[in-house]
């Protein structure tokens, strides 16, 4: 698809708006439908679209494999870190109420960071799954 000029132009125009929608889903998740999982899948889908339209190597330059693997680990660490922070502040694991002097704000803060961790992990996993399928049958060093 690298030679299809219309597809390339439309993708370049379309991708930023889809990423913006992923951010909307992420930040609106605590108030309505959506959240980390949905936002992570939407963000990963835009990068997969980029790889399909512009080629796997162009996508790899944009988001290297090492970054994708770091995303998978970082998201889990963010999620677990919120739980451990709750323990360190005298609450239970993933007890959000202790994360702020006002329990409601603590709840909001905890849910936000857990959803960020979920979004980062889901996005990384989706990109890794795509990369594994896209690269199968090819010989790679490393």
């Amino acid at each position: 698809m690298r030679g299809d000029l219309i597809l390339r132009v439309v993708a370049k125009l379309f991708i930023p708006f889809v990423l913006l929608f992923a951010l909307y889903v992420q930040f609106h998740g605590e108030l309505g439908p959506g959240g980390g999982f949905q936002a992570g899948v939407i963000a990963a889908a835009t990068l997969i679209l980029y790889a399909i339209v512009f080629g796997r190597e162009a996508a790899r330059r944009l988001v290297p494999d090492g970054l994708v693997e770091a995303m998978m680990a970082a998201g889990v660490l963010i999620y677990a870190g919120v739980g451990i922070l709750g323990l360190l502040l005298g609450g239970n694991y993933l007890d959000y109420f202790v994360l702020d002097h006002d329990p409601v704000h603590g709840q909001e803060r905890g849910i936000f960071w857990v959803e960020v961790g979920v979004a980062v992990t889901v996005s990384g996993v989706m990109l890794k799954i795509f990369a594994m399928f896209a690269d199968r049958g090819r010989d790679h060093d490393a």
Side-chain angles (χ1 to χ4, degrees), residues 70-84 93 114 116-122 125:
M71 287 170 62
M72 293 187 298
V76 172
L77 289 174
I78 292 169
Y79 188 100
V82 172
I84 291 171
Y93 186 76
V114 163
V116 167
V118 169
V120 170
T121 298
V122 167
V125 169

Side-chain angles (χ1 to χ4, degrees), residues 83-142:
I84 291 171
L85 185 60
L87 286 173
L88 294 175
L89 294 174
N92 295 322
Y93 186 76
L94 292 176
D95 185 6
Y96 308 133
F97 298 107
V98 297
L99 298 179
D100 197 273
H101 66 281
D102 179 13
V104 173
H105 289 137
Q107 188 81 353
E108 291 171 353
R109 181 174 290 155
I111 290 170
F112 172 78
W113 285 109
V114 163
E115 293 295 332
V116 167
V118 169
V120 170
T121 298
V122 167
S123 187
V125 169
M126 294 297 295
L127 291 172
K128 185 65 174 179
I129 290 170
F130 171 76
M132 291 174 68
F133 277 111
D135 294 341
R136 71 181 172 179
R138 297 181 185 166
D139 291 331
H140 289 287
D141 298 330

